[in-house]
Amino acid sequence: MTIATGQGAPASIGIVEKRFHRFADPPDTMVLESGTRLGPITVAFETWGRLSEGRDNAILVAHAFSGDAHAAGRYPGESGDDKPGWWDFLIGPGKGIDTDRYFVICANILGSCMGTTGPSSLNPATGRPYGLDFPMVTIGDMVETQKRLLDHLGIDRLLTVVGGSVGGMQVLEWCRRYPRVVRSAIPIATTMRHSALAIAFNEIARQAIMADPNWQGGNYYDTGRRPDLGLAVARMVGHVTYLSDEAMRRKFGRRLQDKNDFSFGFNADFQVESYLRHQGSKFVRRFDANSLLYITRAADYFDMTQRPDPIDSARPGIKYLVISYSSDWLYPTYQARELVRRLKRAGQDVSFCEIEADCGHDAFLIPDERLSNLIGGFLHGIAAA
Amino acid sequence: MTIATGQGAPASIGIVEKRFHRFADPPDTMVLESGTRLGPITVAFETWGRLSEGRDNAILVAHAFSGDAHAAGRYPGESGDDKPGWWDFLIGPGKGIDTDRYFVICANILGSCMGTTGPSSLNPATGRPYGLDFPMVTIGDMVETQKRLLDHLGIDRLLTVVGGSVGGMQVLEWCRRYPRVVRSAIPIATTMRHSALAIAFNEIARQAIMADPNWQGGNYYDTGRRPDLGLAVARMVGHVTYLSDEAMRRKFGRRLQDKNDFSFGFNADFQVESYLRHQGSKFVRRFDANSLLYITRAADYFDMTQRPDPIDSARPGIKYLVISYSSDWLYPTYQARELVRRLKRAGQDVSFCEIEADCGHDAFLIPDERLSNLIGGFLHGIAAA
């Protein structure tokens, strides 16, 4: 768990390493929420900082839908020009999640394609990628694999669990499943359950993939043809929901791309078209279409208001910091307020903050001192308690 | 222009007939805004009511993106169960647009596939459907074809021009091009120009179609294969933008479709999924994919703030009634207010009303007495002036 530091930019954690933990080997496969069994399972993860002797300074970071375990630092051989981890502004020495004080873990979620077992992994029963034979996984199943990883690392208490979007769902699920493990929780830009609007956008993304003949019922891995066009459209849909009307107006407006007048054709005339096409084609190089299907489905199924363990009936004892963004229209502030109301009704200790930002849902991924300070201050309080 | 009435429901205009006007036969083809020439052009249209002897009671209704000329009444042979025209609640004897008083015309827009010339029409140069050889058309070109139709009908003055969404763009374009023809204008749920967000959604819809291999570069008409899957995804995208978060919550919430629990698969579990799939597959039966490309492009290009005739510099003299809907997030009220501000700055006579409704952009297509009364009252005032 020792990490080489000091080789990156001054304020970065430096060079990090992706590691793997394998468990649930047959016959001890894991029982999923659907009742199906899955195994073996590999979880890709990274850690930063040092676990204290009292093992009481561990923080679990949960990533969003298309994220990965690489939340901070750089990989060996990467130059300063390479992008560091996706939350590098927040995780590092002296940062909001201070790696001089805390031991921080992030694991790639079950069903993904960034090192953890998912539909593109080999199915041991066939020796070929699972495709749609991969069982449906839930946010609960993702949390379960993270729990197995913590057990393996010898961590039985979390100072906090923190994450945005689908990561925030995992945060809430941790509180529901393991209220005795979690001391505090920071759900960011998230919701107790998807609205019909959020389900609709996910369904459109799924339909775009499944409409691509190269998808081939999910069994495309060995065919040399991948549903790239469908996946690109799916990503464009997602991308628009991560932005906001204001952000797009500011970022693109009606500006044209490298031209002074309309082409009177179907090329990308507007910058926003060019940007979306670029986002779509960039995404297909790093993400698996089936993983998108599985993870969006898990997000749609997620519902903290559901029996037998609705969030209202949770045992008090966890300190919450709920954060929303004013221009997030995927998980608007009214949904965060509903979460706060329910937690308070259950007697929980809840702080709530809506951050004014015009960049939409993706705001939690954009460097922002307010987020760093909020989280840093909250963690100080928890650690000192 | 006489219309049989009294055969439908009591308050309906009754049986109507689709008619056609053909013009711009070579060599007298029409010059489009892009500079390209197009001809011959057929315009499908319907009329209701009677033109007065003074020819001073004509109202032009402009339809939205996927609409058609059939705004009111029923076609012969249709039963009472068949859906009447798309604005039947507003157009008819004694209704908001009162066919006992006014002569009402609606024409299918250029580039569409509902009787007016568009990409699915025969290209006289090849004897085969145009496909992408159809020239790009603009909102201005649509207005120009409507003007030719009015000339043909002997109408040189419009009591009002009224329409919602892309229809509202045509209304504004009429005021810019023909301020001496238009006495009043009712732009509803529309905008002076598309925001980056609106362009983004249109671009996603276009990409969904063009990603479908059955699209075949737009030349699918003779092949027996049509880009139905891509078009369905495009429609789903559009459909979500026509609704609102509130409307979808009320209409669907998280209710499941014909089941009590999740299927843990990719079938339509939620009602909203089932609804979107239905909308998608229904749409492909009635609409042409290339027409979607052309009309969305025309809407994206539309810009009333552009030189040489920005709306601010318009000559006063037209009375405007601008209507927006509180939950319309495709063309939000702030955009209607910007239009109103600019019109007032140009010295125009403008009334503005935001209708409180939680059903999103599509609200203008939903029977609502407030809309009928607003328009009815406004027209009384204009006709009496």
Side-chain angles (χ1 to χ4, degrees):
Chain A
M1 265 153 274
T2 44
I3 298 294
T5 58
Q7 292 174 46
S12 170
I13 187 75
I15 301 303
V16 297
E17 184 194 1
K18 194 195 268 193
R19 295 155 63 196
F20 300 91
H21 171 53
R22 175 174 158 156
F23 60 93
D25 273 290
D28 299 322
T29 49
M30 194 172 105
V31 181
L32 301 174
E33 214 172 323
S34 65
T36 314
R37 304 191 71 103
L38 179 66
I41 295 171
T42 298
V43 172
F45 68 102
E46 295 185 20
T47 68
W48 310 275
R50 252 171 229 279
L51 188 59
S52 64
E53 287 200 10
R55 299 182 168 265
D56 60 355
N57 70 333
I59 292 177
L60 180 68
V61 171
H63 71 72
F65 146 65
S66 68
D68 56 25
H70 189 41
R74 293 176 196 281
Y75 288 137
E78 286 186 335
S79 77
D81 295 336
D82 288 311
K83 264 178 103 173
W86 53 269
W87 243 1
D88 197 71
F89 79 88
L90 186 62
I91 303 169
K95 296 185 181 178
I97 298 178
D98 186 349
T99 49
D100 289 338
R101 294 162 173 263
Y102 310 118
F103 177 64
V104 186
I105 309 135
C106 183
N108 185 217
I109 55 179
L110 190 66
S112 182
C113 50
M114 302 293 190
T116 292
T117 303
S120 59
S121 305
L122 282 193
N123 181 350
T126 64
R128 304 175 61 191
Y130 278 103
L132 285 213
D133 288 336
F134 193 72
M136 193 59 61
V137 295
T138 63
I139 301 289
D141 296 327
M142 295 172 191
V143 165
E144 221 44 54
T145 58
Q146 291 159 351
K147 179 67 168 63
R148 301 280 188 111
L149 173 64
L150 295 192
D151 292 346
H152 164 71
L153 297 174
I155 295 163
D156 54 15
R157 201 92 162 91
L158 284 172
L159 186 69
T160 203
V161 50
V162 55
S165 196
V166 171
M169 295 180 186
Q170 296 161 55
V171 169
L172 296 175
E173 185 70 33
W174 262 100
C175 299
R176 169 153 74 178
R177 289 194 175 224
Y178 296 108
R180 287 179 178 83
V181 174
V182 175
R183 285 178 62 191
S184 71
I186 313 177
I188 305 170
T190 194
T191 185
M192 284 189 297
R193 53 180 173 180
H194 265 184
S195 63
L197 185 73
I199 296 172
F201 280 122
N202 274 349
E203 170 67 1
I204 291 170
R206 287 189 292 264
Q207 290 292 321
I209 289 170
M210 299 195 283
D212 188 329
N214 286 345
W215 180 62
Q216 303 168 74
N219 296 314
Y220 48 82
Y221 299 105
D222 300 334
T223 66
R225 292 181 295 125
R226 295 163 58 94
D228 287 348
L229 294 176
L231 179 58
V233 171
R235 181 55 168 183
M236 292 184 213
V237 173
H239 219 85
V240 170
T241 67
Y242 306 152
L243 294 169
S244 71
D245 187 18
E246 304 97 293
M248 293 180 80
R249 212 158 53 227
R250 189 169 33 78
K251 200 165 177 170
F252 311 110
R254 293 180 54 83
R255 283 187 295 280
L256 301 182
Q257 180 73 29
D258 303 328
K259 57 189 74 168
N260 296 319
D261 209 350
F262 298 148
S263 70
F264 287 103
F266 295 110
N267 291 329
D269 278 1
F270 295 100
Q271 282 181 8
V272 64
E273 295 177 309
S274 171
Y275 172 81
L276 284 176
R277 291 182 187 191
H278 173 70
Q279 292 296 332
S281 58
K282 205 173 68 173
F283 191 63
V284 304
R285 290 199 294 272
R286 73 172 181 86
F287 210 77
D288 177 51
N290 282 339
S291 280
L292 184 147
L293 299 183
Y294 278 86
I295 300 172
T296 56
R297 199 54 160 163
D300 290 344
Y301 279 172
F302 179 70
D303 188 350
M304 283 299 288
T305 68
Q306 240 178 1
R307 293 161 183 281
D309 304 300
I311 198 160
D312 331 49
S313 68
R315 190 179 69 89
I318 300 172
K319 285 187 193 297
Y320 289 85
L321 170 61
V322 178
I323 298 171
S324 74
Y325 288 90
S326 56
S327 60
D328 183 347
W329 59 277
L330 188 59
Y331 307 137
T333 289
Y334 80 81
Q335 293 182 15
R337 284 191 196 282
E338 199 190 330
L339 167 64
V340 168
R341 233 178 355 256
R342 290 209 183 212
L343 288 170
K344 285 193 170 161
R345 209 186 297 148
Q348 305 282 7
D349 179 343
V350 191
S351 304
F352 169 61
C353 180
E354 181 191 44
I355 297 180
E356 283 288 333
D358 73 354
C359 34
H361 177 66
D362 259 358
F364 74 97
L365 293 171
I366 297 168
D368 184 340
E369 275 204 354
R370 293 173 299 180
L371 183 66
S372 301
N373 292 340
L374 264 174
I375 291 179
F378 179 76
L379 290 178
H380 271 288
I382 303 293
Chain B
M1 264 151 271
T2 45
I3 298 294
T5 56
Q7 293 175 46
S12 171
I13 187 74
I15 302 301
V16 297
E17 184 194 3
K18 194 194 269 193
R19 294 155 65 194
F20 300 91
H21 171 54
R22 173 173 160 157
F23 59 93
D25 272 291
D28 300 321
T29 50
M30 192 172 107
V31 181
L32 302 174
E33 214 171 324
S34 65
T36 315
R37 302 192 72 102
L38 178 67
I41 295 172
T42 298
V43 172
F45 69 103
E46 295 185 21
T47 68
W48 310 274
R50 252 171 228 278
L51 188 60
S52 63
E53 288 200 8
R55 300 182 167 266
D56 60 357
N57 69 335
I59 292 177
L60 180 68
V61 171
H63 70 73
F65 145 65
S66 68
D68 57 26
H70 188 40
R74 292 174 197 283
Y75 289 138
E78 287 186 335
S79 76
D81 295 337
D82 288 312
K83 264 179 104 174
W86 53 270
W87 242 2
D88 197 70
F89 78 89
L90 185 63
I91 302 169
K95 297 185 180 178
I97 298 176
D98 186 350
T99 50
D100 288 339
R101 295 162 172 261
Y102 310 118
F103 178 64
V104 186
I105 309 135
C106 183
N108 185 217
I109 56 179
L110 189 66
S112 182
C113 50
M114 303 294 189
T116 292
T117 302
S120 59
S121 304
L122 281 192
N123 180 352
T126 64
R128 304 175 62 192
Y130 279 103
L132 286 213
D133 288 336
F134 193 73
M136 193 60 61
V137 295
T138 63
I139 301 290
D141 295 327
M142 296 172 191
V143 164
E144 220 44 53
T145 59
Q146 291 159 352
K147 179 67 167 63
R148 302 279 188 111
L149 173 64
L150 294 192
D151 291 346
H152 165 72
L153 296 174
I155 294 163
D156 53 14
R157 201 92 163 91
L158 284 171
L159 187 68
T160 204
V161 49
V162 55
S165 194
V166 171
M169 295 179 187
Q170 296 160 54
V171 169
L172 295 175
E173 185 71 31
W174 263 100
C175 300
R176 169 154 72 180
R177 288 193 175 225
Y178 295 108
R180 285 177 179 83
V181 175
V182 175
R183 285 179 61 191
S184 71
I186 313 177
I188 304 170
T190 195
T191 185
M192 284 190 297
R193 53 180 172 181
H194 265 184
S195 64
L197 185 73
I199 296 172
F201 279 121
N202 275 350
E203 170 66 2
I204 291 170
R206 288 189 293 263
Q207 289 292 321
I209 288 170
M210 299 197 282
D212 188 329
N214 285 347
W215 180 61
Q216 305 167 73
N219 297 314
Y220 49 82
Y221 299 104
D222 299 334
T223 67
R225 292 180 295 125
R226 294 165 56 95
D228 288 346
L229 293 176
L231 180 57
V233 171
R235 182 55 170 182
M236 293 184 213
V237 173
H239 218 85
V240 170
T241 67
Y242 306 151
L243 295 169
S244 70
D245 186 17
E246 304 96 293
M248 294 182 79
R249 212 159 55 226
R250 188 168 35 77
K251 200 165 177 171
F252 311 110
R254 294 180 53 82
R255 284 186 296 280
L256 301 182
Q257 179 72 28
D258 303 329
K259 57 189 74 167
N260 296 318
D261 209 350
F262 297 149
S263 69
F264 289 102
F266 294 110
N267 292 330
D269 279 1
F270 294 100
Q271 282 181 10
V272 65
E273 295 176 309
S274 172
Y275 171 82
L276 284 175
R277 292 182 187 191
H278 174 70
Q279 291 297 333
S281 58
K282 205 174 67 174
F283 191 64
V284 305
R285 290 198 295 271
R286 74 171 180 89
F287 210 77
D288 177 50
N290 282 339
S291 280
L292 184 147
L293 300 182
Y294 279 85
I295 300 172
T296 57
R297 199 54 159 167
D300 290 344
Y301 279 172
F302 179 69
D303 187 350
M304 284 299 288
T305 68
Q306 239 177 1
R307 294 163 183 280
D309 305 301
I311 198 159
D312 331 50
S313 68
R315 188 180 70 89
I318 300 172
K319 285 188 192 298
Y320 289 86
L321 170 59
V322 178
I323 298 172
S324 73
Y325 288 90
S326 56
S327 60
D328 183 348
W329 59 276
L330 188 59
Y331 306 137
T333 289
Y334 80 81
Q335 294 182 17
R337 285 192 195 280
E338 198 190 330
L339 167 64
V340 169
R341 232 178 354 255
R342 290 208 183 212
L343 289 170
K344 286 193 169 161
R345 210 185 296 148
Q348 305 283 6
D349 179 342
V350 191
S351 304
F352 168 61
C353 180
E354 181 190 45
I355 297 181
E356 283 287 335
D358 72 354
C359 34
H361 177 66
D362 259 357
F364 75 96
L365 293 171
I366 297 169
D368 184 339
E369 275 205 353
R370 292 173 298 179
L371 183 66
S372 301
N373 293 339
L374 263 173
I375 291 178
F378 179 76
L379 290 178
H380 271 287
I382 303 294

